[in-house]
Each structure stands twice: as structure tokens, then as C-alpha cells.
Amino acid sequence: DAAKSKTRADVIKRLSYIEGHLAGVKKMVDDDRYCVDILRQTFAVRRAIQKLESQLIDGHLRTCVVEGVKDGREEQILSELVELYEIADR
């Protein structure tokens, strides 16, 4: 499916960005950079991860959830969504 392929490509791109950003943060720590500068970068990584999670949730709701309901797996889908909500709420 074209939508799933595009979403997957976007997710991989975002993960690569996060990976690179984390490597930069690690280098800053190795180089004993100023704590505030490091924290600014960790906050940016957290925002990037939150955007990734939003993108994944959106894709899941638009594809996997719809397919699961069509296949008669409403209880499984609902259980998974509740689990995700509980994990995210912690």
C-alpha cells in the first residue's frame, strides 16, 4: 500500500534524524560541553521522539485499526489502544 510505504519512509527518515541528534548529544557529553547546551539538545530529541510517536499513532489509527475492525478484531484493537494510552500516561 502506497500510504504505508510513505509512512514507513517518513518514520525511517525521522529515526535517522533522531539517531544523528543523539550521537551529537553524546559527543557534547564526551567533549564536556556546558550542561544547558546539552539539555537544549536533549529537549529537541524528546520533541522529535514525540513527533515520531504522533506520526506512528496517526498511521496506526488510519490503517491497522481500520483493518482490524474490518477483520472483526475490535476487542484486540481496543485492548491495544488502551494499553498504549496507559503506557503514554505514565
Side-chain angles (χ1 to χ4, degrees), residues 41-63:
Q41 295 307 308
T42 61
F43 295 153
V45 169
R46 186 181 318 158
R47 281 191 303 275
I49 290 172
Q50 288 169 338
K51 286 180 184 178
L52 171 66
E53 290 169 341
S54 293
Q55 185 178 17
L56 287 169
I57 289 170
D58 182 73
H60 182 68
L61 292 173
R62 293 177 188 274
T63 59

Side-chain angles (χ1 to χ4, degrees), residues 68-69 72-82:
V69 170
R73 296 182 288 116
E74 295 90 349
E75 285 302 316
Q76 176 193 349
I77 297 297
L78 183 58
S79 176
E80 290 171 351
L81 291 174
V82 168

Side-chain angles (χ1 to χ4, degrees), residues 6-22 44-56:
K6 182 184 180 329
T7 298
R8 183 182 309 245
D10 290 345
V11 166
I12 296 296
K13 181 178 176 181
R14 192 173 297 275
L15 282 169
S16 294
Y17 168 80
I18 292 167
E19 199 172 45
H21 213 107
L22 277 175
V45 169
R46 186 181 318 158
R47 281 191 303 275
I49 290 172
Q50 288 169 338
K51 286 180 184 178
L52 171 66
E53 290 169 341
S54 293
Q55 185 178 17
L56 287 169

Side-chain angles (χ1 to χ4, degrees), residues 23-41:
V25 171
K26 184 176 184 281
K27 182 170 179 1
M28 290 177 77
V29 172
D30 286 341
D31 293 346
D32 200 26
R33 295 278 299 273
Y34 186 54
C35 294
V36 172
D37 293 337
I38 295 169
L39 286 166
R40 284 185 185 118
Q41 295 307 308

